Amino acid sequence: MNMMMSSRIHICFLAVFMCASLAIFIPTPSLGHSHICLSDDHVALFIFGDSLFDAGNNNYFNTTIRANFYPYGETFFNYPTGRFSDGRIIPDFIAEFAKLPLIPAYLHPGYKRYVDGANFASAGAGALVGTRQGWVIDLHTQLSNFKRMKTLLKKEIGEAEAKTLVSRAVYMTSIGGNDYAAPYTANSSLFQSYSPEEYVDMVIGNLTTVIKRIHKEGGRKFAFLYLGPLGCRPAARAINAGECEEEITAMVKLHNKALSHVLQKLESQLKGFKYSITDIYNLGSEITNNPLKYGFKEGEAACCGSGPYRGISTCGSVNGSVQGYELCENPSDYVTFDTSHPTERTSLLYAKAMWNGNQSVTWPYNIKALVEQS
């Protein structure tokens, strides 16, 4: 047995059944040298980004950017989880489609099953370290958390198995929206210091650095979202007399074009690099402008908030009081839940587009295709 262990050839049993010879063999920490089997088609999800993807990391450090109170989580979980939604968010559905359990927040003290993946996303985060600095886990710190997780993974399952798992995994990222929205809503002079092109280059440059570092750590399969129609969200309409904010819209379009360009470039530069990009800008605009076509009743106003279009950020209360904000009866009738975030039903539409959307919305691969590639 010692000779077999030293050569990393493991015989493993799952109950009384022997695993297939092609499986990855995963040691069970509590059982010392005992092992369980991970099928050869198992693919983990490692999730980075902002509130579209955050499963509750912001619950576990000192910040006011949280969704750990009613009515967040009211429809699916029946309690607030820290997700900025009435229910599930995009990564929850992707995990379900990939036959994985929900991937909890990395900072959740009870979560250590990294063989299924980990969620590092933080609501309010940007690609730029300075975006809401001190209140969020910025993208570079999320990368540091991934590296720490990878070290623990290697100790748990062995270096060879960890290398295989990391290379098979899909790396999902939603980032950039806060880099453009935060300076605008704070009346920052940042946009006066740089041309739109210069500012977008900084955001994309920071994202590119993180992508390259994940690739250096062994990541090969990446999935990204275009930024959605941020200039037309309820928060923007509420302060712009019901119209879309053209300055943010212009920045979003520049960002999406630059992201597409840099990913094509990285595909030719980085060995084994494959990616998926999903256009939720056009999809989100289509749903917002034609809600009835997609089974919604309201496309422009939020389900939860106050003021015009319920676009003032007052959704929720730590003591459960509804005083000061309005809450719709059925979130599934609405495209947007609060001032800026999709309802669970909208997130499902986005997730389906990411998972198996055709080339008109998701390209050059969809996530299903990435998962199925060895």
Side-chain angles (χ1 to χ4, degrees):
M1 177 64 76
N2 289 338
M3 187 186 309
M4 293 176 70
M5 290 298 292
S6 63
S7 62
R8 306 295 296 164
I9 301 173
H10 307 303
I11 298 175
C12 69
F13 296 90
L14 185 61
V16 294
F17 300 100
M18 185 178 293
C19 291
S21 60
L22 291 178
I24 302 175
F25 306 129
I26 307 298
T28 305
S30 61
L31 300 178
H33 291 306
S34 297
H35 298 80
I36 61 173
C37 294
L38 200 61
S39 65
D40 60 335
D41 60 354
H42 181 85
V43 174
L45 291 177
F46 294 114
I47 300 156
F48 301 82
D50 52 29
S51 54
L52 283 183
F53 282 7
D54 183 7
N57 279 305
N58 283 22
N59 291 351
Y60 302 104
F61 64 94
N62 187 23
T63 180
T64 58
I65 306 173
R66 286 180 175 173
N68 60 343
F69 45 83
Y70 178 85
Y72 292 103
E74 65 168 339
T75 55
F76 180 78
F77 298 100
N78 295 314
Y79 68 93
T81 64
R83 292 165 171 84
F84 277 80
S85 171
D86 60 292
R88 288 163 290 185
I89 55 177
I90 295 168
D92 296 327
F93 291 112
I94 298 298
E96 179 185 326
F97 300 155
K99 297 181 171 55
L100 292 169
L102 297 186
I103 310 297
Y106 168 73
L107 294 182
H108 190 294
Y111 182 67
K112 294 291 182 273
R113 188 177 165 81
Y114 301 134
V115 292
D116 290 329
N119 187 325
F120 306 99
S122 172
L128 301 178
V129 174
T131 296
R132 297 199 171 107
Q133 191 169 15
W135 300 100
V136 301
I137 308 168
D138 67 82
L139 189 59
H140 287 272
T141 305
Q142 292 179 35
L143 173 65
S144 297
N145 287 339
F146 168 73
K147 289 180 179 179
R148 275 191 283 273
M149 181 280 309
K150 186 184 168 190
T151 299
L152 293 173
L153 194 62
K154 285 193 287 188
K155 288 179 180 177
E156 182 181 338
I157 68 176
E159 191 156 350
E161 287 87 345
K163 182 179 179 180
T164 300
L165 188 143
V166 165
S167 68
R168 284 181 183 169
V170 173
Y171 297 80
M172 295 175 55
T173 302
S174 164
I175 203 75
N178 292 301
D179 295 304
Y180 305 108
Y184 179 79
T185 54
N187 291 318
S188 169
S189 61
L190 198 58
F191 291 156
Q192 277 73 53
S193 304
Y194 302 93
S195 71
E197 291 78 10
E198 288 171 337
Y199 191 80
V200 168
D201 283 348
M202 287 196 303
V203 173
I204 295 295
N206 272 28
L207 173 56
T208 303
T209 297
V210 171
I211 294 170
K212 287 180 175 178
R213 288 179 181 170
I214 294 173
H215 181 270
K216 187 177 180 180
E217 293 292 323
R220 293 295 180 267
K221 298 184 283 187
F222 296 78
F224 301 92
L225 289 175
Y226 267 179
L227 296 183
L230 302 180
C232 298
R233 62 202 168 115
R237 291 183 189 274
I239 58 175
N240 205 43
E243 299 298 321
C244 296
E245 173 42 58
E246 294 305 322
E247 185 179 7
I248 291 183
T249 298
M251 298 286 273
V252 165
K253 289 180 178 179
L254 281 174
H255 174 97
N256 290 343
K257 184 177 179 180
L259 177 61
S260 181
H261 176 73
V262 80
L263 291 176
Q264 291 176 46
K265 195 173 175 181
L266 290 174
E267 187 177 33
S268 65
Q269 292 176 343
L270 302 179
K271 182 179 179 181
F273 179 88
K274 294 183 173 68
Y275 73 93
S276 167
I277 189 164
T278 301
D279 180 6
I280 66 165
Y281 179 85
N282 283 312
L283 178 58
S285 298
E286 167 69 13
I287 295 169
T288 298
N289 294 332
N290 302 283
L292 296 178
K293 178 180 175 182
Y294 295 89
F296 297 99
K297 293 181 180 178
E298 175 58 53
E300 295 183 350
C303 165
C304 184
S306 58
Y309 300 90
R310 294 184 182 138
I312 297 174
S313 186
T314 55
C315 183
S317 168
V318 292
N319 61 14
S321 169
V322 296
Q323 186 175 0
Y325 73 93
E326 301 170 6
L327 180 65
C328 71
E329 185 174 341
N330 184 8
S332 293
D333 289 339
Y334 286 72
V335 174
T336 309
F337 183 62
D338 62 8
T339 63
S340 303
H341 302 100
T343 56
E344 178 184 86
R345 189 156 175 268
T346 306
S347 288
L348 175 58
L349 292 179
Y350 290 160
K352 285 180 176 179
M354 290 189 80
W355 177 253
N356 62 4
N358 61 35
Q359 292 280 312
S360 68
V361 68
T362 301
W363 66 89
Y365 299 95
N366 54 39
I367 293 182
K368 184 173 186 286
L370 292 178
V371 165
E372 290 172 350
Q373 291 189 10
S374 59

